[in-house]
Amino acid sequence: MKTSLLIILLALVTPAQAELTQQRLQELKHLLKHDCGSCHGMTLNGGLGPALLPGSLKDKPDELLFVTIREGRHGTPMPPWKSLLSDDDIKSIIKLLRTPPE
Amino acid sequence: MKKLFAIALILGSLNACSIPTLRATGDMGLIIERAIGRVQVVEHSQNTSLAKIEGLGDLSHASIVYSRDQRYGYVFGRDGGLTQVDILEQKIVKRVIQSGNSIGGAISQDGSLIAVSNYKPGGVKIFATRTLELVADIPAVYGDNKLSKTVGLVDAPGQKFVFSLYDAGETWVVDMQDTHKPVITKFTNTGSLPYDGLITPDGRYYIAGLFGEDGMALLDLWHLEKGIQRIMPGYGRGREPLPVYKMPHLEGWAMAGNRVFMPAVGQHEVVVADATSWKQVGSIPVYGQPIFVMTRPDNRQMWVNFAHPRNDTIQVIDVETMQVIKTLKPGKAVLHMEFTPRGEHVWMSVRDEDRVDILDTESFEVIKSLTVDKPSGIFFTNRAQKIGL
């Protein structure tokens, strides 16, 4: 009985979460292009801030990117994004950054 | 019979000639569609879009200056593209890729030269307005032969261009009176990380905003011998700045009477300074971190937009009382505003909703919306006659 209830609950919850995640991913892609892009260029090939294309980031480990996005870089205009982005958001953005542009 | 045919031909061609009616460009403008490399040609007498011109490359952070006859727009793209657009024939006249990464440009006092500010390779290139041929290449060399990104490029009286070096903390004045012999005066103590610059509407003072330290750098172009003066000292001191999600723009800054209004960096404030002493005399609390602070042409109102994530809002400040008199929510990502030349209307780009709204500046009502793909900068041709634009 308990198990079947759990299955029903999961069935109710999971698709909605998946949808939300997909929507959030779209929001993050948009943020990356337009808002990160205001300093790093809309195509992420650099501007006031450095280029963020996979090639230009290949020597930077995920941990460094994570801390940079989360906490910002002191002494540069790179702001901390932690008040706007969750840790999962930041990990998704790093994945996006590692993916070559279409 | 042959004669008749000839007459018919002549009549026919006369008829054809009379189709394009004469038109002036004083009420026209261009709107950047940043994501698809296109500009829209618009006019603000009837508030319509007249044409779309494609093929301008990466237009994120693009800006435009106009030839003094207001026929040609020169579009500065992010990808280093410099494109001359004919707004009457509604087509690209010429396009050159002049660098790898650029940030904006200016047109000279006499209209004969276009200067472009580049991030990569860092420096300024100057072109002939008519041909887009390179006239002068000014690499922004500093320190151990490094190249600095250049920012805040403006034109100044005396056929000069002024700009700042972001990485080097310098400001350079380039005198182009002799086109073949640019005379460069360098000021090396501008301050840490100048992120943008502006010139007062009379062309006398150049001011660079500093990201790396408090205050701003002022250069009196009438008295270069005085060098850089630091103004607004201590601004922001003792307070934790907020994270800056978008750099403020100093172009289109507001000057009304003796008061200057500018966006505070990392604060939800518009800073008010006295334009004779260049000291801060007050601040106006606003909804977010200001990006553009722009006065209506009659200087009675100031319209302010804000950085991400508060960029869905516009506030209007009454200059006389320095109070916010109106808060508008046009939609997601209001990037730019442009007033009609005498200020009865303001056009604003609502990027994420693919719209440009046209508002009445007295009633604050939206009188019309145009469909524009990811609009950013709006540039009307009356900029052609203004110093620094």
Side-chain angles (χ1 to χ4, degrees), chain A residues 30-31 33-35 37-39 41-43 45-49 75-77 79-84, chain B residues 34-35 58 60 78 101 119-120 149 151 166 193 211 243-247 308-309 311 351-352 374:
Chain A
H30 189 275
L31 178 104
K33 181 172 180 181
H34 293 287
D35 295 302
S38 72
C39 278
M42 193 175 60
T43 55
N45 66 345
L48 201 62
T76 80
W81 288 84
K82 61 188 170 201
S83 61
L84 298 174
Chain B
R34 70 196 295 274
D58 180 354
S60 53
R78 197 26 152 327
N101 196 318
Y119 280 166
K120 210 167 37 180
K149 299 182 183 100
V151 298
Y166 175 76
L193 302 180
F211 191 85
V244 176
Y245 295 109
K246 186 176 163 80
M247 286 288 193
H308 181 89
N311 57 7
R351 183 194 69 199
D352 289 358
K374 300 281 174 293

mmCIF file of all heavy atoms in Angstrom, chain A residues 30-31 33-35 37-39 41-43 45-49 75-77 79-84, chain B residues 34-35 58 60 78 101 119-120 149 151 166 193 211 243-247 308-309 311 351-352 374:
data_model
loop_
_atom_site.group_PDB
_atom_site.id
_atom_site.type_symbol
_atom_site.label_atom_id
_atom_site.label_comp_id
_atom_site.label_asym_id
_atom_site.label_seq_id
_atom_site.Cartn_x
_atom_site.Cartn_y
_atom_site.Cartn_z
ATOM 1 N N HIS A 30 19.566 31.349 -21.618
ATOM 2 C CA HIS A 30 19.250 32.737 -21.928
ATOM 3 C C HIS A 30 20.140 33.687 -21.120
ATOM 4 O O HIS A 30 20.706 34.648 -21.644
ATOM 5 C CB HIS A 30 17.766 32.982 -21.641
ATOM 6 C CG HIS A 30 17.278 34.307 -22.120
ATOM 7 N ND1 HIS A 30 17.398 35.458 -21.366
ATOM 8 C CD2 HIS A 30 16.685 34.681 -23.277
ATOM 9 C CE1 HIS A 30 16.894 36.469 -22.046
ATOM 10 N NE2 HIS A 30 16.466 36.035 -23.214
ATOM 11 N N LEU A 31 20.268 33.379 -19.831
ATOM 12 C CA LEU A 31 21.103 34.196 -18.944
ATOM 13 C C LEU A 31 22.548 34.228 -19.436
ATOM 14 O O LEU A 31 23.195 35.270 -19.494
ATOM 15 C CB LEU A 31 21.047 33.610 -17.529
ATOM 16 C CG LEU A 31 21.908 34.307 -16.482
ATOM 17 C CD1 LEU A 31 21.024 35.163 -15.581
ATOM 18 C CD2 LEU A 31 22.686 33.320 -15.634
ATOM 19 N N LYS A 33 23.710 33.712 -22.456
ATOM 20 C CA LYS A 33 23.890 34.434 -23.717
ATOM 21 C C LYS A 33 23.756 35.941 -23.516
ATOM 22 O O LYS A 33 24.575 36.718 -23.987
ATOM 23 C CB LYS A 33 22.827 33.944 -24.707
ATOM 24 C CG LYS A 33 22.910 34.587 -26.062
ATOM 25 C CD LYS A 33 21.948 33.913 -27.036
ATOM 26 C CE LYS A 33 22.033 34.574 -28.404
ATOM 27 N NZ LYS A 33 21.104 33.981 -29.363
ATOM 28 N N HIS A 34 22.721 36.337 -22.781
ATOM 29 C CA HIS A 34 22.406 37.761 -22.748
ATOM 30 C C HIS A 34 22.979 38.497 -21.545
ATOM 31 O O HIS A 34 23.345 39.661 -21.655
ATOM 32 C CB HIS A 34 20.901 37.972 -22.824
ATOM 33 C CG HIS A 34 20.332 37.555 -24.152
ATOM 34 N ND1 HIS A 34 20.537 38.289 -25.300
ATOM 35 C CD2 HIS A 34 19.613 36.471 -24.516
ATOM 36 C CE1 HIS A 34 19.944 37.678 -26.312
ATOM 37 N NE2 HIS A 34 19.380 36.568 -25.875
ATOM 38 N N ASP A 35 23.033 37.848 -20.393
ATOM 39 C CA ASP A 35 23.483 38.569 -19.205
ATOM 40 C C ASP A 35 24.967 38.345 -18.926
ATOM 41 O O ASP A 35 25.701 39.296 -18.712
ATOM 42 C CB ASP A 35 22.597 38.197 -18.017
ATOM 43 C CG ASP A 35 21.156 38.670 -18.251
ATOM 44 O OD1 ASP A 35 20.971 39.881 -18.449
ATOM 45 O OD2 ASP A 35 20.251 37.825 -18.285
ATOM 46 N N GLY A 37 26.705 37.477 -21.263
ATOM 47 C CA GLY A 37 27.145 38.062 -22.528
ATOM 48 C C GLY A 37 27.345 39.565 -22.487
ATOM 49 O O GLY A 37 28.034 40.114 -23.338
ATOM 50 N N SER A 38 26.743 40.249 -21.515
ATOM 51 C CA SER A 38 26.921 41.703 -21.519
ATOM 52 C C SER A 38 28.375 42.061 -21.222
ATOM 53 O O SER A 38 28.834 43.135 -21.610
ATOM 54 C CB SER A 38 25.923 42.401 -20.590
ATOM 55 O OG SER A 38 26.229 42.201 -19.243
ATOM 56 N N CYS A 39 29.106 41.191 -20.551
ATOM 57 C CA CYS A 39 30.555 41.432 -20.385
ATOM 58 C C CYS A 39 31.420 40.479 -21.225
ATOM 59 O O CYS A 39 32.496 40.844 -21.677
ATOM 60 C CB CYS A 39 30.972 41.271 -18.920
ATOM 61 S SG CYS A 39 30.665 42.735 -17.930
ATOM 62 N N GLY A 41 30.533 38.930 -24.035
ATOM 63 C CA GLY A 41 30.127 38.847 -25.436
ATOM 64 C C GLY A 41 28.984 37.860 -25.596
ATOM 65 O O GLY A 41 28.967 36.819 -24.945
ATOM 66 N N MET A 42 28.034 38.198 -26.469
ATOM 67 C CA MET A 42 26.851 37.357 -26.642
ATOM 68 C C MET A 42 27.237 35.962 -27.142
ATOM 69 O O MET A 42 26.601 34.978 -26.818
ATOM 70 C CB MET A 42 25.888 38.017 -27.621
ATOM 71 C CG MET A 42 24.517 37.414 -27.666
ATOM 72 S SD MET A 42 23.436 38.372 -28.735
ATOM 73 C CE MET A 42 24.332 38.253 -30.289
ATOM 74 N N THR A 43 28.316 35.904 -27.936
ATOM 75 C CA THR A 43 28.790 34.602 -28.403
ATOM 76 C C THR A 43 29.879 34.054 -27.475
ATOM 77 O O THR A 43 30.540 33.070 -27.809
ATOM 78 C CB THR A 43 29.356 34.717 -29.833
ATOM 79 O OG1 THR A 43 30.369 35.739 -29.820
ATOM 80 C CG2 THR A 43 28.276 35.125 -30.821
ATOM 81 N N ASN A 45 32.711 35.140 -26.876
ATOM 82 C CA ASN A 45 34.089 35.229 -27.367
ATOM 83 C C ASN A 45 34.845 36.394 -26.729
ATOM 84 O O ASN A 45 35.868 36.830 -27.221
ATOM 85 C CB ASN A 45 34.122 35.319 -28.895
ATOM 86 C CG ASN A 45 33.506 36.594 -29.393
ATOM 87 O OD1 ASN A 45 32.810 37.283 -28.621
ATOM 88 N ND2 ASN A 45 33.729 36.950 -30.644
ATOM 89 N N GLY A 46 34.316 36.899 -25.625
ATOM 90 C CA GLY A 46 35.043 37.907 -24.871
ATOM 91 C C GLY A 46 34.551 39.312 -25.094
ATOM 92 O O GLY A 46 33.981 39.630 -26.136
ATOM 93 N N GLY A 47 34.756 40.134 -24.097
ATOM 94 C CA GLY A 47 34.408 41.547 -24.158
ATOM 95 C C GLY A 47 35.234 42.208 -23.101
ATOM 96 O O GLY A 47 36.443 42.002 -23.061
ATOM 97 N N LEU A 48 34.593 42.944 -22.203
ATOM 98 C CA LEU A 48 35.316 43.482 -21.062
ATOM 99 C C LEU A 48 35.869 42.316 -20.227
ATOM 100 O O LEU A 48 36.959 42.370 -19.700
ATOM 101 C CB LEU A 48 34.375 44.355 -20.218
ATOM 102 C CG LEU A 48 35.053 45.363 -19.309
ATOM 103 C CD1 LEU A 48 35.855 46.372 -20.101
ATOM 104 C CD2 LEU A 48 34.030 46.077 -18.441
ATOM 105 N N GLY A 49 35.101 41.256 -20.162
ATOM 106 C CA GLY A 49 35.560 40.029 -19.508
ATOM 107 C C GLY A 49 36.154 39.075 -20.533
ATOM 108 O O GLY A 49 35.934 39.236 -21.731
ATOM 109 N N GLY A 75 38.576 42.164 -7.227
ATOM 110 C CA GLY A 75 39.488 43.010 -7.997
ATOM 111 C C GLY A 75 39.137 43.076 -9.476
ATOM 112 O O GLY A 75 39.807 43.750 -10.241
ATOM 113 N N THR A 76 38.109 42.345 -9.874
ATOM 114 C CA THR A 76 37.612 42.433 -11.248
ATOM 115 C C THR A 76 36.110 42.703 -11.179
ATOM 116 O O THR A 76 35.491 42.550 -10.115
ATOM 117 C CB THR A 76 37.830 41.121 -12.031
ATOM 118 O OG1 THR A 76 36.791 40.190 -11.658
ATOM 119 C CG2 THR A 76 39.182 40.503 -11.742
ATOM 120 N N PRO A 77 35.498 43.064 -12.309
ATOM 121 C CA PRO A 77 34.047 43.296 -12.273
ATOM 122 C C PRO A 77 33.221 42.010 -12.163
ATOM 123 O O PRO A 77 32.005 42.087 -12.053
ATOM 124 C CB PRO A 77 33.772 43.992 -13.612
ATOM 125 C CG PRO A 77 35.096 44.535 -14.052
ATOM 126 C CD PRO A 77 36.106 43.552 -13.541
ATOM 127 N N PRO A 79 30.985 39.576 -10.759
ATOM 128 C CA PRO A 79 30.254 39.593 -9.487
ATOM 129 C C PRO A 79 29.976 38.182 -8.975
ATOM 130 O O PRO A 79 29.991 37.224 -9.748
ATOM 131 C CB PRO A 79 28.934 40.272 -9.867
ATOM 132 C CG PRO A 79 28.712 39.856 -11.288
ATOM 133 C CD PRO A 79 30.077 39.671 -11.910
ATOM 134 N N PRO A 80 29.722 38.037 -7.675
ATOM 135 C CA PRO A 80 29.254 36.750 -7.167
ATOM 136 C C PRO A 80 27.803 36.528 -7.583
ATOM 137 O O PRO A 80 26.980 37.427 -7.460
ATOM 138 C CB PRO A 80 29.344 36.913 -5.643
ATOM 139 C CG PRO A 80 29.316 38.373 -5.385
ATOM 140 C CD PRO A 80 29.837 39.061 -6.612
ATOM 141 N N TRP A 81 27.514 35.325 -8.101
ATOM 142 C CA TRP A 81 26.156 35.054 -8.595
ATOM 143 C C TRP A 81 25.336 34.232 -7.614
ATOM 144 O O TRP A 81 24.228 33.797 -7.924
ATOM 145 C CB TRP A 81 26.234 34.359 -9.962
ATOM 146 C CG TRP A 81 26.675 35.296 -11.043
ATOM 147 C CD1 TRP A 81 27.959 35.628 -11.359
ATOM 148 C CD2 TRP A 81 25.835 36.052 -11.932
ATOM 149 N NE1 TRP A 81 27.969 36.554 -12.392
ATOM 150 C CE2 TRP A 81 26.670 36.823 -12.764
ATOM 151 C CE3 TRP A 81 24.444 36.151 -12.108
ATOM 152 C CZ2 TRP A 81 26.189 37.685 -13.748
ATOM 153 C CZ3 TRP A 81 23.955 37.012 -13.092
ATOM 154 C CH2 TRP A 81 24.829 37.769 -13.895
ATOM 155 N N LYS A 82 25.897 33.983 -6.432
ATOM 156 C CA LYS A 82 25.238 33.019 -5.535
ATOM 157 C C LYS A 82 23.849 33.458 -5.089
ATOM 158 O O LYS A 82 23.028 32.623 -4.758
ATOM 159 C CB LYS A 82 26.128 32.725 -4.327
ATOM 160 C CG LYS A 82 26.450 33.919 -3.467
ATOM 161 C CD LYS A 82 27.498 33.549 -2.427
ATOM 162 C CE LYS A 82 27.997 34.812 -1.734
ATOM 163 N NZ LYS A 82 29.289 34.623 -1.106
ATOM 164 N N SER A 83 23.584 34.769 -5.087
ATOM 165 C CA SER A 83 22.248 35.185 -4.660
ATOM 166 C C SER A 83 21.210 34.971 -5.761
ATOM 167 O O SER A 83 20.016 35.011 -5.507
ATOM 168 C CB SER A 83 22.258 36.644 -4.208
ATOM 169 O OG SER A 83 22.637 37.476 -5.273
ATOM 170 N N LEU A 84 21.666 34.752 -6.985
ATOM 171 C CA LEU A 84 20.731 34.556 -8.096
ATOM 172 C C LEU A 84 20.734 33.127 -8.612
ATOM 173 O O LEU A 84 19.780 32.696 -9.255
ATOM 174 C CB LEU A 84 21.086 35.494 -9.255
ATOM 175 C CG LEU A 84 21.010 36.992 -8.972
ATOM 176 C CD1 LEU A 84 21.534 37.787 -10.157
ATOM 177 C CD2 LEU A 84 19.582 37.408 -8.649
ATOM 178 N N ARG B 34 19.856 42.773 -31.690
ATOM 179 C CA ARG B 34 21.198 42.343 -31.294
ATOM 180 C C ARG B 34 21.501 40.882 -31.602
ATOM 181 O O ARG B 34 22.632 40.514 -31.854
ATOM 182 C CB ARG B 34 21.429 42.623 -29.811
ATOM 183 C CG ARG B 34 20.640 41.753 -28.866
ATOM 184 C CD ARG B 34 20.639 42.358 -27.467
ATOM 185 N NE ARG B 34 21.947 42.406 -26.839
ATOM 186 C CZ ARG B 34 22.492 41.424 -26.142
ATOM 187 N NH1 ARG B 34 21.850 40.284 -26.013
ATOM 188 N NH2 ARG B 34 23.652 41.570 -25.574
ATOM 189 N N ALA B 35 20.481 40.024 -31.554
ATOM 190 C CA ALA B 35 20.772 38.597 -31.662
ATOM 191 C C ALA B 35 20.852 38.094 -33.101
ATOM 192 O O ALA B 35 21.400 37.020 -33.349
ATOM 193 C CB ALA B 35 19.734 37.798 -30.884
ATOM 194 N N ASP B 58 27.674 40.276 -35.389
ATOM 195 C CA ASP B 58 27.354 40.202 -33.956
ATOM 196 C C ASP B 58 27.075 41.607 -33.431
ATOM 197 O O ASP B 58 27.969 42.419 -33.290
ATOM 198 C CB ASP B 58 28.539 39.570 -33.210
ATOM 199 C CG ASP B 58 28.283 39.446 -31.705
ATOM 200 O OD1 ASP B 58 27.249 39.953 -31.220
ATOM 201 O OD2 ASP B 58 29.133 38.849 -31.024
ATOM 202 N N SER B 60 25.694 42.350 -30.420
ATOM 203 C CA SER B 60 25.561 42.542 -28.980
ATOM 204 C C SER B 60 26.414 43.751 -28.611
ATOM 205 O O SER B 60 27.522 43.914 -29.092
ATOM 206 C CB SER B 60 26.014 41.299 -28.220
ATOM 207 O OG SER B 60 27.298 40.901 -28.606
ATOM 208 N N ARG B 78 30.048 44.050 -32.125
ATOM 209 C CA ARG B 78 30.927 43.406 -31.166
ATOM 210 C C ARG B 78 32.064 42.639 -31.845
ATOM 211 O O ARG B 78 33.164 42.523 -31.345
ATOM 212 C CB ARG B 78 30.084 42.458 -30.315
ATOM 213 C CG ARG B 78 30.689 41.980 -28.997
ATOM 214 C CD ARG B 78 31.629 42.907 -28.489
ATOM 215 N NE ARG B 78 31.944 43.079 -27.104
ATOM 216 C CZ ARG B 78 31.242 42.964 -26.026
ATOM 217 N NH1 ARG B 78 30.025 42.562 -26.025
ATOM 218 N NH2 ARG B 78 31.716 43.239 -24.887
ATOM 219 N N ASN B 101 37.317 42.359 -31.837
ATOM 220 C CA ASN B 101 36.354 42.551 -30.766
ATOM 221 C C ASN B 101 36.309 44.044 -30.438
ATOM 222 O O ASN B 101 37.295 44.598 -29.991
ATOM 223 C CB ASN B 101 36.829 41.752 -29.541
ATOM 224 C CG ASN B 101 35.734 41.553 -28.519
ATOM 225 O OD1 ASN B 101 34.966 42.474 -28.240
ATOM 226 N ND2 ASN B 101 35.662 40.368 -27.969
ATOM 227 N N TYR B 119 38.622 46.172 -28.118
ATOM 228 C CA TYR B 119 39.102 45.358 -27.010
ATOM 229 C C TYR B 119 40.253 44.476 -27.479
ATOM 230 O O TYR B 119 41.193 44.225 -26.762
ATOM 231 C CB TYR B 119 37.978 44.443 -26.521
ATOM 232 C CG TYR B 119 36.962 45.093 -25.617
ATOM 233 C CD1 TYR B 119 35.755 44.467 -25.349
ATOM 234 C CD2 TYR B 119 37.221 46.314 -24.994
ATOM 235 C CE1 TYR B 119 34.820 45.025 -24.490
ATOM 236 C CE2 TYR B 119 36.292 46.882 -24.143
ATOM 237 C CZ TYR B 119 35.088 46.231 -23.889
ATOM 238 O OH TYR B 119 34.170 46.781 -23.049
ATOM 239 N N LYS B 120 40.101 43.950 -28.693
ATOM 240 C CA LYS B 120 41.081 42.983 -29.193
ATOM 241 C C LYS B 120 41.324 43.174 -30.684
ATOM 242 O O LYS B 120 40.384 42.958 -31.445
ATOM 243 C CB LYS B 120 40.564 41.554 -28.915
ATOM 244 C CG LYS B 120 41.672 40.568 -28.707
ATOM 245 C CD LYS B 120 41.234 39.229 -28.130
ATOM 246 C CE LYS B 120 39.927 38.703 -28.588
ATOM 247 N NZ LYS B 120 39.521 37.423 -28.043
ATOM 248 N N LYS B 149 42.542 47.097 -23.405
ATOM 249 C CA LYS B 149 41.216 47.334 -23.961
ATOM 250 C C LYS B 149 40.939 48.832 -23.850
ATOM 251 O O LYS B 149 41.346 49.468 -22.880
ATOM 252 C CB LYS B 149 40.151 46.582 -23.158
ATOM 253 C CG LYS B 149 40.331 45.077 -23.166
ATOM 254 C CD LYS B 149 39.189 44.420 -22.380
ATOM 255 C CE LYS B 149 39.386 42.931 -22.319
ATOM 256 N NZ LYS B 149 39.960 42.489 -21.027
ATOM 257 N N VAL B 151 38.076 51.963 -23.770
ATOM 258 C CA VAL B 151 36.671 52.222 -23.431
ATOM 259 C C VAL B 151 36.392 53.724 -23.492
ATOM 260 O O VAL B 151 37.309 54.542 -23.560
ATOM 261 C CB VAL B 151 36.333 51.724 -22.000
ATOM 262 C CG1 VAL B 151 36.517 50.219 -21.872
ATOM 263 C CG2 VAL B 151 37.178 52.449 -20.964
ATOM 264 N N TYR B 166 41.301 50.623 -20.269
ATOM 265 C CA TYR B 166 40.733 49.868 -19.145
ATOM 266 C C TYR B 166 41.815 49.195 -18.311
ATOM 267 O O TYR B 166 41.842 49.325 -17.092
ATOM 268 C CB TYR B 166 39.749 48.825 -19.699
ATOM 269 C CG TYR B 166 39.169 47.887 -18.685
ATOM 270 C CD1 TYR B 166 38.158 48.320 -17.826
ATOM 271 C CD2 TYR B 166 39.598 46.566 -18.590
ATOM 272 C CE1 TYR B 166 37.597 47.454 -16.890
ATOM 273 C CE2 TYR B 166 39.047 45.693 -17.664
ATOM 274 C CZ TYR B 166 38.052 46.141 -16.819
ATOM 275 O OH TYR B 166 37.504 45.272 -15.907
ATOM 276 N N LEU B 193 40.872 50.654 -13.442
ATOM 277 C CA LEU B 193 39.817 50.075 -14.260
ATOM 278 C C LEU B 193 38.733 51.071 -14.700
ATOM 279 O O LEU B 193 37.570 50.943 -14.340
ATOM 280 C CB LEU B 193 39.153 48.888 -13.536
ATOM 281 C CG LEU B 193 40.045 47.731 -13.129
ATOM 282 C CD1 LEU B 193 39.224 46.655 -12.416
ATOM 283 C CD2 LEU B 193 40.756 47.118 -14.332
ATOM 284 N N PHE B 211 35.997 51.485 -12.039
ATOM 285 C CA PHE B 211 35.443 50.316 -11.366
ATOM 286 C C PHE B 211 36.320 49.899 -10.194
ATOM 287 O O PHE B 211 35.845 49.411 -9.183
ATOM 288 C CB PHE B 211 35.290 49.147 -12.340
ATOM 289 C CG PHE B 211 34.488 48.035 -11.745
ATOM 290 C CD1 PHE B 211 33.114 48.065 -11.814
ATOM 291 C CD2 PHE B 211 35.106 47.006 -11.075
ATOM 292 C CE1 PHE B 211 32.360 47.078 -11.225
ATOM 293 C CE2 PHE B 211 34.352 45.998 -10.475
ATOM 294 C CZ PHE B 211 32.978 46.038 -10.555
ATOM 295 N N PRO B 243 26.918 43.346 -5.653
ATOM 296 C CA PRO B 243 27.475 42.769 -6.884
ATOM 297 C C PRO B 243 26.936 43.512 -8.101
ATOM 298 O O PRO B 243 25.751 43.853 -8.141
ATOM 299 C CB PRO B 243 26.961 41.327 -6.871
ATOM 300 C CG PRO B 243 26.383 41.087 -5.533
ATOM 301 C CD PRO B 243 26.113 42.390 -4.892
ATOM 302 N N VAL B 244 27.813 43.789 -9.057
ATOM 303 C CA VAL B 244 27.403 44.541 -10.250
ATOM 304 C C VAL B 244 27.185 43.543 -11.387
ATOM 305 O O VAL B 244 28.132 42.949 -11.882
ATOM 306 C CB VAL B 244 28.477 45.578 -10.624
ATOM 307 C CG1 VAL B 244 28.108 46.302 -11.907
ATOM 308 C CG2 VAL B 244 28.660 46.570 -9.493
ATOM 309 N N TYR B 245 25.940 43.348 -11.772
ATOM 310 C CA TYR B 245 25.640 42.366 -12.816
ATOM 311 C C TYR B 245 25.685 42.950 -14.211
ATOM 312 O O TYR B 245 25.577 42.253 -15.192
ATOM 313 C CB TYR B 245 24.277 41.706 -12.539
ATOM 314 C CG TYR B 245 24.296 40.888 -11.273
ATOM 315 C CD1 TYR B 245 23.621 41.302 -10.140
ATOM 316 C CD2 TYR B 245 25.044 39.713 -11.222
ATOM 317 C CE1 TYR B 245 23.672 40.557 -8.974
ATOM 318 C CE2 TYR B 245 25.107 38.968 -10.054
ATOM 319 C CZ TYR B 245 24.414 39.391 -8.935
ATOM 320 O OH TYR B 245 24.480 38.655 -7.787
ATOM 321 N N LYS B 246 25.810 44.253 -14.284
ATOM 322 C CA LYS B 246 25.971 44.888 -15.591
ATOM 323 C C LYS B 246 26.607 46.247 -15.357
ATOM 324 O O LYS B 246 26.210 46.981 -14.466
ATOM 325 C CB LYS B 246 24.613 45.057 -16.272
ATOM 326 C CG LYS B 246 24.698 45.568 -17.705
ATOM 327 C CD LYS B 246 23.295 45.610 -18.310
ATOM 328 C CE LYS B 246 23.237 46.474 -19.544
ATOM 329 N NZ LYS B 246 23.733 45.821 -20.739
ATOM 330 N N MET B 247 27.616 46.563 -16.159
ATOM 331 C CA MET B 247 28.308 47.834 -16.008
ATOM 332 C C MET B 247 27.382 48.981 -16.395
ATOM 333 O O MET B 247 26.723 48.913 -17.431
ATOM 334 C CB MET B 247 29.519 47.869 -16.947
ATOM 335 C CG MET B 247 30.655 47.015 -16.472
ATOM 336 S SD MET B 247 31.395 47.820 -15.063
ATOM 337 C CE MET B 247 32.892 46.862 -14.948
ATOM 338 N N HIS B 308 20.345 43.785 -14.496
ATOM 339 C CA HIS B 308 19.866 42.466 -14.128
ATOM 340 C C HIS B 308 20.068 42.287 -12.631
ATOM 341 O O HIS B 308 21.101 42.672 -12.126
ATOM 342 C CB HIS B 308 20.702 41.429 -14.907
ATOM 343 C CG HIS B 308 20.323 40.028 -14.650
ATOM 344 N ND1 HIS B 308 19.365 39.380 -15.372
ATOM 345 C CD2 HIS B 308 20.745 39.148 -13.701
ATOM 346 C CE1 HIS B 308 19.218 38.159 -14.915
ATOM 347 N NE2 HIS B 308 20.049 37.985 -13.915
ATOM 348 N N PRO B 309 19.176 41.717 -11.861
ATOM 349 C CA PRO B 309 17.887 41.124 -12.257
ATOM 350 C C PRO B 309 16.703 42.087 -12.137
ATOM 351 O O PRO B 309 15.573 41.646 -12.130
ATOM 352 C CB PRO B 309 17.752 39.983 -11.244
ATOM 353 C CG PRO B 309 18.413 40.505 -10.006
ATOM 354 C CD PRO B 309 19.480 41.461 -10.450
ATOM 355 N N ASN B 311 15.923 44.473 -14.259
ATOM 356 C CA ASN B 311 15.846 45.210 -15.523
ATOM 357 C C ASN B 311 14.460 45.169 -16.177
ATOM 358 O O ASN B 311 14.327 45.424 -17.360
ATOM 359 C CB ASN B 311 16.937 44.731 -16.494
ATOM 360 C CG ASN B 311 16.848 43.238 -16.764
ATOM 361 O OD1 ASN B 311 15.913 42.584 -16.337
ATOM 362 N ND2 ASN B 311 17.831 42.717 -17.487
ATOM 363 N N ARG B 351 13.909 43.873 -24.427
ATOM 364 C CA ARG B 351 14.611 42.818 -25.161
ATOM 365 C C ARG B 351 13.923 41.461 -25.120
ATOM 366 O O ARG B 351 13.663 40.865 -26.163
ATOM 367 C CB ARG B 351 16.034 42.667 -24.600
ATOM 368 C CG ARG B 351 16.881 41.631 -25.335
ATOM 369 C CD ARG B 351 18.128 41.281 -24.542
ATOM 370 N NE ARG B 351 17.797 40.552 -23.336
ATOM 371 C CZ ARG B 351 18.607 40.437 -22.289
ATOM 372 N NH1 ARG B 351 19.796 41.009 -22.315
ATOM 373 N NH2 ARG B 351 18.234 39.760 -21.217
ATOM 374 N N ASP B 352 13.606 40.991 -23.927
ATOM 375 C CA ASP B 352 13.113 39.621 -23.818
ATOM 376 C C ASP B 352 11.670 39.468 -24.291
ATOM 377 O O ASP B 352 11.155 38.367 -24.345
ATOM 378 C CB ASP B 352 13.249 39.121 -22.374
ATOM 379 C CG ASP B 352 14.709 38.892 -22.018
ATOM 380 O OD1 ASP B 352 15.569 39.084 -22.897
ATOM 381 O OD2 ASP B 352 14.997 38.535 -20.865
ATOM 382 N N LYS B 374 14.707 40.971 -30.254
ATOM 383 C CA LYS B 374 15.721 41.240 -29.213
ATOM 384 C C LYS B 374 16.350 42.633 -29.375
ATOM 385 O O LYS B 374 17.557 42.781 -29.604
ATOM 386 C CB LYS B 374 16.836 40.189 -29.260
ATOM 387 C CG LYS B 374 16.367 38.758 -29.028
ATOM 388 C CD LYS B 374 16.142 38.438 -27.580
ATOM 389 C CE LYS B 374 15.546 37.065 -27.355
ATOM 390 N NZ LYS B 374 14.160 36.915 -27.862
#
